[in-house]
Amino acid sequence: AAGVIQSPRHLIKEKRETATLKCYPIPRHDTVYWYQQGPGQDPQFLISFYEKMQSDKGSIPDRFSAQQFSDYHSELNMSSLELGDSALYFCASSGGGGRADTQYFGPGTRLTVL
Amino acid sequence: GQQVMQIPQYQHVQEGEDFTTYCNSSTTLSNIQWYKQRPGGHPVFLIQLVKSGEVKKQKRLTFQFGEAKKNSSLHITATQTTDVGTYFCAGGGSQGNLIFGKGTKLSVKP
């Protein structure tokens, strides 16, 4: 079965640079969630989209923005990167219509900021 | 804001022993989900509980959702080395997002 695809899997950036992470949800899933997971931490919810509209916002810094496109893929744009942004970034998708339905996680993008 | 507390943070068991992790929410949850994350991996969905007092079993795993829909537990009978990982509970928030507990990291000594 098709799973959530994230790219790139690994990304190394310098401080103050920008990064774009991509997420391709499971086909026919209408909701995408972004999470940030630091070492030894639980996933922290950043932002979600349902039917291409932002549905909920968590602890996403103002330096980050995201959107969901017409083909339902989503991109997380991160600017003015800081050392503390180094983490695993997971995208999850669900077909729950924006409700708290089962979320299927992608493999994650490991971002390292030097 | 909504919070989900999970204990213990770490659990070390001998293979064959039982293991239980507990989650408690400050507010009523629409549902509770459980995920397992292996070292270096991503959270993998295990189960979702929706009804008050619901109990579900998956082989050696037993999941419970409290009557007030504010707490939940995961119990593993006779642990195996393949059970190693971090178990997260995640509560359905009022906005449709998931609120994760801090996770319980399980290690199993053969």
Side-chain angles (χ1 to χ4, degrees):
Chain A
V4 176
I5 297 171
Q6 288 187 249
S7 68
R9 294 293 309 277
H10 301 272
L11 190 59
I12 300 175
K13 290 285 185 178
E14 301 267 339
K15 273 174 36 178
R16 292 180 287 278
E17 285 190 324
T18 61
T20 297
L21 309 185
K22 297 186 179 183
C23 168
Y24 298 85
I26 291 172
R28 290 181 293 281
H29 277 191
D30 52 19
T31 308
V32 166
Y33 306 82
W34 285 97
Y35 293 88
Q36 177 192 60
Q37 187 177 32
Q41 303 293 314
D42 55 298
Q44 293 293 312
F45 171 68
L46 294 178
I47 197 167
S48 63
F49 293 87
Y50 166 60
E51 285 291 343
K52 292 152 278 184
M53 299 284 288
Q54 182 182 308
S55 57
D56 192 18
K57 197 170 182 180
S59 53
I60 185 169
D62 292 340
R63 299 177 288 108
F64 295 4
S65 65
Q67 57 182 323
Q68 187 179 30
F69 295 86
S70 57
D71 63 351
Y72 292 95
H73 94 272
S74 179
E75 294 183 4
L76 177 66
N77 300 293
M78 311 160 74
S79 62
S80 302
L81 287 169
E82 301 173 357
L83 296 178
D85 296 329
S86 296
L88 260 175
Y89 290 84
F90 288 109
C91 168
S93 75
S94 75
R99 301 185 307 277
D101 202 359
T102 302
Q103 295 184 17
Y104 296 89
F105 282 73
T109 294
R110 183 173 296 280
L111 172 67
T112 303
V113 181
L114 302 175
Chain B
Q2 291 179 292
Q3 284 187 317
V4 174
M5 310 299 291
Q6 187 173 358
I7 57 168
Q9 190 174 358
Y10 301 96
Q11 186 78 58
H12 310 282
V13 300
Q14 192 77 33
E15 189 173 24
E17 291 182 338
D18 292 355
F19 158 76
T20 305
T21 173
Y22 301 90
C23 277
N24 197 47
S25 167
S26 55
T27 58
T28 301
L29 301 167
S30 58
N31 65 68
I32 190 98
Q33 299 177 30
W34 285 91
Y35 292 79
K36 177 183 178 182
Q37 186 173 21
R38 292 181 185 273
H42 60 279
V44 174
F45 173 76
L46 294 176
I47 209 159
Q48 176 177 252
L49 304 170
V50 179
K51 299 176 185 175
S52 168
E54 190 169 13
V55 177
K56 285 189 178 180
K57 291 191 176 185
Q58 285 180 351
K59 296 183 181 177
R60 294 178 295 105
L61 279 60
T62 302
F63 304 84
Q64 292 187 317
F65 200 12
E67 293 290 340
K69 299 182 74 171
K70 286 186 175 183
N71 57 74
S72 181
S73 65
L74 158 60
H75 179 81
I76 302 179
T77 304
T79 53
Q80 300 174 359
T81 54
T82 52
D83 295 326
V84 163
T86 300
Y87 292 84
F88 290 100
C89 62
S94 57
Q95 305 271 357
N97 60 308
L98 282 177
I99 306 160
F100 278 82
K102 294 295 181 188
T104 297
K105 189 173 181 178
L106 173 65
S107 62
V108 179
K109 190 175 180 181

